[in-house]
Amino acid sequence: MSALKARQRAAEAPLPGNGPANDDGLQTRSLLRFITCGSVDDGKSTLIGRILYETGAVFEDQLGALKRDSRKFGTQGDKVDFALLVDGLAAEREQGITIDVAYRYFSTPRRSFIVADTPGHEQYTRNMATGASTADLAVILVDARLGLLSQTLRHSFIVSLVGVRHVVVAVNKMDLVGYDQGVFERICAAYRSAVAGLGFTQIRFVPISARDGDNVTSASASMGWYQGAPLLEHLETVAIEAGNAAHPGAVLPVQWVNRPNSSFRGYSGNLARGHLAIGDAVAVLPSGRTSRVARILTPAGDAGHAAAGQALTVTIADEIDISRGDVLVAVAHRPPVRRQLAARLLWTGEAPLALGGSYALKLASSQAHVVVRTLHHGIDVATLAQVPVTGLAMNDIGLATIDLDRPLAVLPFAESTELGGFILIDRISHETVAFGFIAEDDPEPAETGARSESGFAALRSKLRRHAGSPGSARRAAVAGLGLGQAAASLLIGGLVYGLTGSLPMALLVAASDLVLRPVLLGGAWTAAHATWRRRQARNRSLAENVLGDGI
């Protein structure tokens, strides 16, 4: 299909916004959010640029500028470099790589699209994960000459982590391998085998040449052996499962306490899940207090009900202490409130994960201070297998247990992206150091489960959590402190023996110091930590009241 015909077809198609506002017969186009990902130089930006051109989203003046830029920055010789339509940063054009996430909007008569062009360079994996977090489908590009690379598999694992279940593997640069069907089939078989355990609902394979447009918007004459639909046709017709609105339980994270005057108090936020109607019984988490919905206000005014995705303000029938970070939920489907989480971490910080280190956690509108207590295993990107690790470096993925300083309402990420996904922030540099995804099952008993164990088993489990996992930096530090304590106690006992000449007295003093000093230090640390937590809570409360968010 030529770009001119595409523009003519788009101009003749009725726009979804035309017609009376209450016309029930108006056919609106569905929206698909997708990303392009894969290793560096696999042709992601070129593919998006080609789609934009073929669908008539490039105007004549833009095309003229593209031709001039192609001569200056392009990598395709005398041909137009479509990647320059997406790579807008000067550094991206100079280096020929994507650095930041670039969002582009286009439409066809069948569907509207928002596409995120994500970087393939390993250094910018965090940007790729950000783009994938809002996608319904992932187009994973593979260079036909190189096959599957470690970044291809890393991006595949990340899109599965963020809940993307529809994948298109676009085997690009088929023109550079002579449109060889055998090359395409070998890559398809290798990819199916590599991602067999990632839980994708659908994997579609398309051989393409993004530079020349083969199998992008129309069938390729050079690959007659491929009988499937071109890439764009598949994107226009793929069916995506219903989102959070299909869940029965309403979840409304409170972002702002709306208090314009003394006679109105509402709680504002985006309804993350389910449906909400006037009169519904709701609970406030983590406190657990219950009430009923009195009013629902939307940008269009009062409403009788609301669905997931809507921005709204609700009022409730009873006077309950509610502030930013609390969650309004349906009483019959309330999420659990936890102070310990098992979560998969995608580490994005320059400094490696410090077991036992303290970080700030942000989940929906809630915040807490946390300690990464245990690291259970990592993921080998080459094989996607679980491997034992003692830490996480930049771009590593692992399963960890995290302790929170206050209870939060949470759900597994597979059930709710809002209450199941979080970020970890370095409390000194304020750098986002990890993306977290709450797991469905705990790898070890939580605190509530430990109470049902025998006393010895519960004590052993608690000591394991505080001492860190074997081989960890925390375990080494605890062992060093223990040896230092023992040496100090022996030294004190030796001094007592030298002064008194009494061996029983020296042993008694050494044993007393060995036992009492850790108890006293632990008590002092616990008291100081409790005081610090009370001050932090008071400061948050004062800040909310200053901003108008308090009660």
Side-chain angles (χ1 to χ4, degrees), residues 208-242:
I208 67 170
S209 172
R211 185 191 66 179
D212 300 330
D214 292 283
N215 281 336
V216 176
T217 60
S218 57
S220 169
S222 302
M223 289 180 279
W225 45 264
Y226 173 70
Q227 301 300 313
L231 175 62
L232 183 60
E233 182 179 336
H234 174 70
L235 297 177
E236 288 179 315
T237 57
V238 63
I240 304 297
E241 294 83 2

PDB file of all heavy atoms in Angstrom, residues 208-242:
ATOM      1  N   ILE A 208       9.967  -9.904   8.385  1.00  0.00           N
ATOM      2  CA  ILE A 208       9.806  -8.566   7.819  1.00  0.00           C
ATOM      3  C   ILE A 208      11.141  -7.995   7.354  1.00  0.00           C
ATOM      4  O   ILE A 208      12.218  -8.502   7.713  1.00  0.00           O
ATOM      5  CB  ILE A 208       9.177  -7.582   8.832  1.00  0.00           C
ATOM      6  CG1 ILE A 208      10.147  -7.329   9.993  1.00  0.00           C
ATOM      7  CG2 ILE A 208       7.834  -8.072   9.333  1.00  0.00           C
ATOM      8  CD1 ILE A 208       9.724  -6.194  10.906  1.00  0.00           C
ATOM      9  N   SER A 209      11.044  -6.938   6.575  1.00  0.00           N
ATOM     10  CA  SER A 209      12.166  -6.041   6.312  1.00  0.00           C
ATOM     11  C   SER A 209      11.637  -4.641   6.574  1.00  0.00           C
ATOM     12  O   SER A 209      10.904  -4.075   5.748  1.00  0.00           O
ATOM     13  CB  SER A 209      12.668  -6.158   4.872  1.00  0.00           C
ATOM     14  OG  SER A 209      13.627  -5.136   4.601  1.00  0.00           O
ATOM     15  N   ALA A 210      11.943  -4.096   7.730  1.00  0.00           N
ATOM     16  CA  ALA A 210      11.409  -2.800   8.126  1.00  0.00           C
ATOM     17  C   ALA A 210      11.888  -1.698   7.185  1.00  0.00           C
ATOM     18  O   ALA A 210      11.149  -0.757   6.890  1.00  0.00           O
ATOM     19  CB  ALA A 210      11.810  -2.478   9.567  1.00  0.00           C
ATOM     20  N   ARG A 211      13.106  -1.814   6.700  1.00  0.00           N
ATOM     21  CA  ARG A 211      13.641  -0.781   5.807  1.00  0.00           C
ATOM     22  C   ARG A 211      12.865  -0.721   4.498  1.00  0.00           C
ATOM     23  O   ARG A 211      12.512   0.361   4.013  1.00  0.00           O
ATOM     24  CB  ARG A 211      15.122  -1.057   5.526  1.00  0.00           C
ATOM     25  CG  ARG A 211      15.814   0.015   4.699  1.00  0.00           C
ATOM     26  CD  ARG A 211      17.171  -0.440   4.238  1.00  0.00           C
ATOM     27  NE  ARG A 211      17.054  -1.558   3.287  1.00  0.00           N
ATOM     28  CZ  ARG A 211      18.113  -2.145   2.707  1.00  0.00           C
ATOM     29  NH1 ARG A 211      19.334  -1.764   3.018  1.00  0.00           N
ATOM     30  NH2 ARG A 211      17.936  -3.136   1.865  1.00  0.00           N
ATOM     31  N   ASP A 212      12.559  -1.897   3.918  1.00  0.00           N
ATOM     32  CA  ASP A 212      11.894  -1.941   2.613  1.00  0.00           C
ATOM     33  C   ASP A 212      10.381  -2.097   2.708  1.00  0.00           C
ATOM     34  O   ASP A 212       9.683  -2.010   1.693  1.00  0.00           O
ATOM     35  CB  ASP A 212      12.472  -3.095   1.783  1.00  0.00           C
ATOM     36  CG  ASP A 212      13.973  -2.934   1.546  1.00  0.00           C
ATOM     37  OD1 ASP A 212      14.434  -1.771   1.494  1.00  0.00           O
ATOM     38  OD2 ASP A 212      14.672  -3.960   1.433  1.00  0.00           O
ATOM     39  N   GLY A 213       9.854  -2.379   3.904  1.00  0.00           N
ATOM     40  CA  GLY A 213       8.414  -2.496   4.085  1.00  0.00           C
ATOM     41  C   GLY A 213       7.844  -3.874   3.830  1.00  0.00           C
ATOM     42  O   GLY A 213       6.616  -4.033   3.809  1.00  0.00           O
ATOM     43  N   ASP A 214       8.667  -4.891   3.666  1.00  0.00           N
ATOM     44  CA  ASP A 214       8.168  -6.250   3.426  1.00  0.00           C
ATOM     45  C   ASP A 214       7.402  -6.765   4.638  1.00  0.00           C
ATOM     46  O   ASP A 214       7.929  -6.811   5.755  1.00  0.00           O
ATOM     47  CB  ASP A 214       9.337  -7.199   3.125  1.00  0.00           C
ATOM     48  CG  ASP A 214      10.003  -6.889   1.802  1.00  0.00           C
ATOM     49  OD1 ASP A 214       9.436  -7.250   0.766  1.00  0.00           O
ATOM     50  OD2 ASP A 214      11.075  -6.245   1.817  1.00  0.00           O
ATOM     51  N   ASN A 215       6.148  -7.168   4.418  1.00  0.00           N
ATOM     52  CA  ASN A 215       5.285  -7.745   5.451  1.00  0.00           C
ATOM     53  C   ASN A 215       5.047  -6.801   6.624  1.00  0.00           C
ATOM     54  O   ASN A 215       4.685  -7.242   7.719  1.00  0.00           O
ATOM     55  CB  ASN A 215       5.859  -9.067   5.981  1.00  0.00           C
ATOM     56  CG  ASN A 215       5.581 -10.228   5.052  1.00  0.00           C
ATOM     57  OD1 ASN A 215       4.636 -10.197   4.268  1.00  0.00           O
ATOM     58  ND2 ASN A 215       6.421 -11.249   5.118  1.00  0.00           N
ATOM     59  N   VAL A 216       5.207  -5.498   6.410  1.00  0.00           N
ATOM     60  CA  VAL A 216       4.919  -4.527   7.462  1.00  0.00           C
ATOM     61  C   VAL A 216       3.454  -4.113   7.393  1.00  0.00           C
ATOM     62  O   VAL A 216       2.681  -4.326   8.329  1.00  0.00           O
ATOM     63  CB  VAL A 216       5.855  -3.308   7.379  1.00  0.00           C
ATOM     64  CG1 VAL A 216       5.464  -2.269   8.435  1.00  0.00           C
ATOM     65  CG2 VAL A 216       7.296  -3.740   7.589  1.00  0.00           C
ATOM     66  N   THR A 217       3.054  -3.515   6.260  1.00  0.00           N
ATOM     67  CA  THR A 217       1.645  -3.175   6.081  1.00  0.00           C
ATOM     68  C   THR A 217       0.996  -3.977   4.969  1.00  0.00           C
ATOM     69  O   THR A 217      -0.234  -4.011   4.864  1.00  0.00           O
ATOM     70  CB  THR A 217       1.483  -1.672   5.777  1.00  0.00           C
ATOM     71  OG1 THR A 217       2.190  -1.363   4.567  1.00  0.00           O
ATOM     72  CG2 THR A 217       2.028  -0.830   6.915  1.00  0.00           C
ATOM     73  N   SER A 218       1.787  -4.606   4.135  1.00  0.00           N
ATOM     74  CA  SER A 218       1.259  -5.424   3.037  1.00  0.00           C
ATOM     75  C   SER A 218       2.159  -6.622   2.837  1.00  0.00           C
ATOM     76  O   SER A 218       3.327  -6.627   3.248  1.00  0.00           O
ATOM     77  CB  SER A 218       1.152  -4.609   1.742  1.00  0.00           C
ATOM     78  OG  SER A 218       2.413  -4.065   1.385  1.00  0.00           O
ATOM     79  N   ALA A 219       1.617  -7.656   2.175  1.00  0.00           N
ATOM     80  CA  ALA A 219       2.360  -8.901   1.972  1.00  0.00           C
ATOM     81  C   ALA A 219       3.579  -8.667   1.085  1.00  0.00           C
ATOM     82  O   ALA A 219       3.569  -7.821   0.190  1.00  0.00           O
ATOM     83  CB  ALA A 219       1.447  -9.960   1.360  1.00  0.00           C
ATOM     84  N   SER A 220       4.631  -9.426   1.348  1.00  0.00           N
ATOM     85  CA  SER A 220       5.879  -9.289   0.605  1.00  0.00           C
ATOM     86  C   SER A 220       5.921 -10.271  -0.564  1.00  0.00           C
ATOM     87  O   SER A 220       5.666 -11.467  -0.389  1.00  0.00           O
ATOM     88  CB  SER A 220       7.066  -9.540   1.536  1.00  0.00           C
ATOM     89  OG  SER A 220       8.268  -9.656   0.808  1.00  0.00           O
ATOM     90  N   ALA A 221       6.256  -9.759  -1.749  1.00  0.00           N
ATOM     91  CA  ALA A 221       6.414 -10.629  -2.915  1.00  0.00           C
ATOM     92  C   ALA A 221       7.667 -11.476  -2.797  1.00  0.00           C
ATOM     93  O   ALA A 221       7.769 -12.535  -3.435  1.00  0.00           O
ATOM     94  CB  ALA A 221       6.465  -9.782  -4.188  1.00  0.00           C
ATOM     95  N   SER A 222       8.608 -11.037  -1.983  1.00  0.00           N
ATOM     96  CA  SER A 222       9.871 -11.772  -1.844  1.00  0.00           C
ATOM     97  C   SER A 222       9.768 -12.927  -0.864  1.00  0.00           C
ATOM     98  O   SER A 222      10.685 -13.752  -0.787  1.00  0.00           O
ATOM     99  CB  SER A 222      10.978 -10.811  -1.364  1.00  0.00           C
ATOM    100  OG  SER A 222      11.148  -9.737  -2.259  1.00  0.00           O
ATOM    101  N   MET A 223       8.696 -12.990  -0.077  1.00  0.00           N
ATOM    102  CA  MET A 223       8.528 -14.067   0.907  1.00  0.00           C
ATOM    103  C   MET A 223       7.172 -14.728   0.706  1.00  0.00           C
ATOM    104  O   MET A 223       6.319 -14.756   1.609  1.00  0.00           O
ATOM    105  CB  MET A 223       8.681 -13.528   2.328  1.00  0.00           C
ATOM    106  CG  MET A 223      10.108 -13.141   2.678  1.00  0.00           C
ATOM    107  SD  MET A 223      10.323 -12.491   4.355  1.00  0.00           S
ATOM    108  CE  MET A 223       9.800 -10.785   4.122  1.00  0.00           C
ATOM    109  N   GLY A 224       6.977 -15.261  -0.492  1.00  0.00           N
ATOM    110  CA  GLY A 224       5.721 -15.929  -0.801  1.00  0.00           C
ATOM    111  C   GLY A 224       5.453 -17.136   0.058  1.00  0.00           C
ATOM    112  O   GLY A 224       4.303 -17.586   0.183  1.00  0.00           O
ATOM    113  N   TRP A 225       6.487 -17.693   0.669  1.00  0.00           N
ATOM    114  CA  TRP A 225       6.324 -18.863   1.530  1.00  0.00           C
ATOM    115  C   TRP A 225       5.630 -18.512   2.845  1.00  0.00           C
ATOM    116  O   TRP A 225       5.153 -19.395   3.558  1.00  0.00           O
ATOM    117  CB  TRP A 225       7.680 -19.504   1.823  1.00  0.00           C
ATOM    118  CG  TRP A 225       8.769 -18.523   2.179  1.00  0.00           C
ATOM    119  CD1 TRP A 225       9.699 -17.987   1.338  1.00  0.00           C
ATOM    120  CD2 TRP A 225       9.043 -17.977   3.486  1.00  0.00           C
ATOM    121  NE1 TRP A 225      10.533 -17.131   2.021  1.00  0.00           N
ATOM    122  CE2 TRP A 225      10.155 -17.114   3.347  1.00  0.00           C
ATOM    123  CE3 TRP A 225       8.470 -18.133   4.739  1.00  0.00           C
ATOM    124  CZ2 TRP A 225      10.702 -16.398   4.418  1.00  0.00           C
ATOM    125  CZ3 TRP A 225       8.999 -17.435   5.807  1.00  0.00           C
ATOM    126  CH2 TRP A 225      10.101 -16.585   5.633  1.00  0.00           C
ATOM    127  N   TYR A 226       5.557 -17.206   3.201  1.00  0.00           N
ATOM    128  CA  TYR A 226       4.881 -16.812   4.438  1.00  0.00           C
ATOM    129  C   TYR A 226       3.407 -16.587   4.135  1.00  0.00           C
ATOM    130  O   TYR A 226       3.047 -15.729   3.326  1.00  0.00           O
ATOM    131  CB  TYR A 226       5.510 -15.542   5.009  1.00  0.00           C
ATOM    132  CG  TYR A 226       4.768 -14.975   6.199  1.00  0.00           C
ATOM    133  CD1 TYR A 226       4.778 -15.630   7.422  1.00  0.00           C
ATOM    134  CD2 TYR A 226       4.037 -13.790   6.083  1.00  0.00           C
ATOM    135  CE1 TYR A 226       4.087 -15.119   8.515  1.00  0.00           C
ATOM    136  CE2 TYR A 226       3.351 -13.271   7.176  1.00  0.00           C
ATOM    137  CZ  TYR A 226       3.380 -13.945   8.385  1.00  0.00           C
ATOM    138  OH  TYR A 226       2.696 -13.438   9.465  1.00  0.00           O
ATOM    139  N   GLN A 227       2.535 -17.358   4.789  1.00  0.00           N
ATOM    140  CA  GLN A 227       1.107 -17.304   4.518  1.00  0.00           C
ATOM    141  C   GLN A 227       0.312 -16.513   5.559  1.00  0.00           C
ATOM    142  O   GLN A 227      -0.907 -16.387   5.439  1.00  0.00           O
ATOM    143  CB  GLN A 227       0.543 -18.734   4.450  1.00  0.00           C
ATOM    144  CG  GLN A 227       1.189 -19.599   3.380  1.00  0.00           C
ATOM    145  CD  GLN A 227       1.013 -19.025   1.983  1.00  0.00           C
ATOM    146  OE1 GLN A 227      -0.080 -18.621   1.606  1.00  0.00           O
ATOM    147  NE2 GLN A 227       2.100 -18.978   1.223  1.00  0.00           N
ATOM    148  N   GLY A 228       0.988 -15.966   6.561  1.00  0.00           N
ATOM    149  CA  GLY A 228       0.287 -15.232   7.606  1.00  0.00           C
ATOM    150  C   GLY A 228      -0.015 -13.800   7.206  1.00  0.00           C
ATOM    151  O   GLY A 228       0.342 -13.332   6.117  1.00  0.00           O
ATOM    152  N   ALA A 229      -0.671 -13.091   8.133  1.00  0.00           N
ATOM    153  CA  ALA A 229      -1.027 -11.699   7.889  1.00  0.00           C
ATOM    154  C   ALA A 229       0.184 -10.797   8.086  1.00  0.00           C
ATOM    155  O   ALA A 229       1.075 -11.100   8.892  1.00  0.00           O
ATOM    156  CB  ALA A 229      -2.139 -11.279   8.851  1.00  0.00           C
ATOM    157  N   PRO A 230       0.256  -9.675   7.349  1.00  0.00           N
ATOM    158  CA  PRO A 230       1.308  -8.684   7.623  1.00  0.00           C
ATOM    159  C   PRO A 230       1.196  -8.162   9.055  1.00  0.00           C
ATOM    160  O   PRO A 230       0.169  -8.303   9.724  1.00  0.00           O
ATOM    161  CB  PRO A 230       1.029  -7.581   6.591  1.00  0.00           C
ATOM    162  CG  PRO A 230       0.221  -8.233   5.531  1.00  0.00           C
ATOM    163  CD  PRO A 230      -0.592  -9.292   6.220  1.00  0.00           C
ATOM    164  N   LEU A 231       2.261  -7.537   9.512  1.00  0.00           N
ATOM    165  CA  LEU A 231       2.329  -7.096  10.907  1.00  0.00           C
ATOM    166  C   LEU A 231       1.186  -6.150  11.265  1.00  0.00           C
ATOM    167  O   LEU A 231       0.499  -6.341  12.281  1.00  0.00           O
ATOM    168  CB  LEU A 231       3.680  -6.428  11.174  1.00  0.00           C
ATOM    169  CG  LEU A 231       3.865  -5.809  12.555  1.00  0.00           C
ATOM    170  CD1 LEU A 231       3.760  -6.867  13.644  1.00  0.00           C
ATOM    171  CD2 LEU A 231       5.211  -5.095  12.648  1.00  0.00           C
ATOM    172  N   LEU A 232       0.953  -5.115  10.457  1.00  0.00           N
ATOM    173  CA  LEU A 232      -0.072  -4.140  10.801  1.00  0.00           C
ATOM    174  C   LEU A 232      -1.458  -4.764  10.812  1.00  0.00           C
ATOM    175  O   LEU A 232      -2.287  -4.435  11.682  1.00  0.00           O
ATOM    176  CB  LEU A 232      -0.034  -2.961   9.823  1.00  0.00           C
ATOM    177  CG  LEU A 232      -1.019  -1.832  10.129  1.00  0.00           C
ATOM    178  CD1 LEU A 232      -0.763  -1.238  11.511  1.00  0.00           C
ATOM    179  CD2 LEU A 232      -0.958  -0.745   9.065  1.00  0.00           C
ATOM    180  N   GLU A 233      -1.737  -5.672   9.905  1.00  0.00           N
ATOM    181  CA  GLU A 233      -3.048  -6.326   9.897  1.00  0.00           C
ATOM    182  C   GLU A 233      -3.262  -7.118  11.177  1.00  0.00           C
ATOM    183  O   GLU A 233      -4.368  -7.137  11.733  1.00  0.00           O
ATOM    184  CB  GLU A 233      -3.176  -7.236   8.679  1.00  0.00           C
ATOM    185  CG  GLU A 233      -4.533  -7.911   8.564  1.00  0.00           C
ATOM    186  CD  GLU A 233      -4.654  -8.791   7.333  1.00  0.00           C
ATOM    187  OE1 GLU A 233      -3.917  -8.542   6.357  1.00  0.00           O
ATOM    188  OE2 GLU A 233      -5.477  -9.734   7.349  1.00  0.00           O
ATOM    189  N   HIS A 234      -2.221  -7.771  11.665  1.00  0.00           N
ATOM    190  CA  HIS A 234      -2.354  -8.501  12.932  1.00  0.00           C
ATOM    191  C   HIS A 234      -2.616  -7.535  14.082  1.00  0.00           C
ATOM    192  O   HIS A 234      -3.457  -7.795  14.953  1.00  0.00           O
ATOM    193  CB  HIS A 234      -1.095  -9.311  13.205  1.00  0.00           C
ATOM    194  CG  HIS A 234      -1.098  -9.982  14.552  1.00  0.00           C
ATOM    195  ND1 HIS A 234      -1.920 -11.039  14.851  1.00  0.00           N
ATOM    196  CD2 HIS A 234      -0.392  -9.708  15.692  1.00  0.00           C
ATOM    197  CE1 HIS A 234      -1.726 -11.412  16.105  1.00  0.00           C
ATOM    198  NE2 HIS A 234      -0.802 -10.624  16.635  1.00  0.00           N
ATOM    199  N   LEU A 235      -1.915  -6.389  14.099  1.00  0.00           N
ATOM    200  CA  LEU A 235      -2.133  -5.410  15.153  1.00  0.00           C
ATOM    201  C   LEU A 235      -3.544  -4.839  15.105  1.00  0.00           C
ATOM    202  O   LEU A 235      -4.127  -4.502  16.142  1.00  0.00           O
ATOM    203  CB  LEU A 235      -1.108  -4.278  15.045  1.00  0.00           C
ATOM    204  CG  LEU A 235       0.360  -4.667  15.239  1.00  0.00           C
ATOM    205  CD1 LEU A 235       1.266  -3.457  15.043  1.00  0.00           C
ATOM    206  CD2 LEU A 235       0.595  -5.288  16.605  1.00  0.00           C
ATOM    207  N   GLU A 236      -4.104  -4.738  13.921  1.00  0.00           N
ATOM    208  CA  GLU A 236      -5.463  -4.204  13.785  1.00  0.00           C
ATOM    209  C   GLU A 236      -6.527  -5.185  14.283  1.00  0.00           C
ATOM    210  O   GLU A 236      -7.613  -4.761  14.711  1.00  0.00           O
ATOM    211  CB  GLU A 236      -5.748  -3.878  12.325  1.00  0.00           C
ATOM    212  CG  GLU A 236      -5.014  -2.651  11.793  1.00  0.00           C
ATOM    213  CD  GLU A 236      -5.329  -2.412  10.331  1.00  0.00           C
ATOM    214  OE1 GLU A 236      -5.323  -3.393   9.560  1.00  0.00           O
ATOM    215  OE2 GLU A 236      -5.579  -1.253   9.957  1.00  0.00           O
ATOM    216  N   THR A 237      -6.238  -6.455  14.247  1.00  0.00           N
ATOM    217  CA  THR A 237      -7.275  -7.456  14.520  1.00  0.00           C
ATOM    218  C   THR A 237      -7.067  -8.245  15.804  1.00  0.00           C
ATOM    219  O   THR A 237      -7.974  -8.977  16.220  1.00  0.00           O
ATOM    220  CB  THR A 237      -7.356  -8.456  13.348  1.00  0.00           C
ATOM    221  OG1 THR A 237      -6.062  -9.069  13.150  1.00  0.00           O
ATOM    222  CG2 THR A 237      -7.762  -7.747  12.064  1.00  0.00           C
ATOM    223  N   VAL A 238      -5.905  -8.150  16.436  1.00  0.00           N
ATOM    224  CA  VAL A 238      -5.655  -8.958  17.628  1.00  0.00           C
ATOM    225  C   VAL A 238      -6.625  -8.559  18.736  1.00  0.00           C
ATOM    226  O   VAL A 238      -6.913  -7.375  18.957  1.00  0.00           O
ATOM    227  CB  VAL A 238      -4.188  -8.804  18.093  1.00  0.00           C
ATOM    228  CG1 VAL A 238      -3.876  -7.374  18.494  1.00  0.00           C
ATOM    229  CG2 VAL A 238      -3.887  -9.764  19.243  1.00  0.00           C
ATOM    230  N   ALA A 239      -7.155  -9.547  19.430  1.00  0.00           N
ATOM    231  CA  ALA A 239      -8.109  -9.319  20.520  1.00  0.00           C
ATOM    232  C   ALA A 239      -7.366  -9.346  21.850  1.00  0.00           C
ATOM    233  O   ALA A 239      -6.647 -10.296  22.155  1.00  0.00           O
ATOM    234  CB  ALA A 239      -9.201 -10.373  20.500  1.00  0.00           C
ATOM    235  N   ILE A 240      -7.540  -8.289  22.631  1.00  0.00           N
ATOM    236  CA  ILE A 240      -6.896  -8.168  23.936  1.00  0.00           C
ATOM    237  C   ILE A 240      -7.946  -8.397  25.017  1.00  0.00           C
ATOM    238  O   ILE A 240      -9.063  -7.880  24.939  1.00  0.00           O
ATOM    239  CB  ILE A 240      -6.247  -6.783  24.111  1.00  0.00           C
ATOM    240  CG1 ILE A 240      -5.249  -6.522  22.975  1.00  0.00           C
ATOM    241  CG2 ILE A 240      -5.568  -6.673  25.467  1.00  0.00           C
ATOM    242  CD1 ILE A 240      -4.081  -7.485  22.951  1.00  0.00           C
ATOM    243  N   GLU A 241      -7.579  -9.166  26.031  1.00  0.00           N
ATOM    244  CA  GLU A 241      -8.522  -9.483  27.096  1.00  0.00           C
ATOM    245  C   GLU A 241      -8.953  -8.230  27.840  1.00  0.00           C
ATOM    246  O   GLU A 241      -8.254  -7.212  27.850  1.00  0.00           O
ATOM    247  CB  GLU A 241      -7.896 -10.471  28.099  1.00  0.00           C
ATOM    248  CG  GLU A 241      -7.601 -11.838  27.529  1.00  0.00           C
ATOM    249  CD  GLU A 241      -6.281 -11.870  26.791  1.00  0.00           C
ATOM    250  OE1 GLU A 241      -5.597 -10.819  26.765  1.00  0.00           O
ATOM    251  OE2 GLU A 241      -5.937 -12.923  26.236  1.00  0.00           O
ATOM    252  N   ALA A 242     -10.105  -8.299  28.473  1.00  0.00           N
ATOM    253  CA  ALA A 242     -10.616  -7.178  29.265  1.00  0.00           C
ATOM    254  C   ALA A 242      -9.653  -6.871  30.398  1.00  0.00           C
ATOM    255  O   ALA A 242      -8.987  -7.755  30.942  1.00  0.00           O
ATOM    256  CB  ALA A 242     -11.994  -7.505  29.826  1.00  0.00           C
TER     257      ALA A 242
END
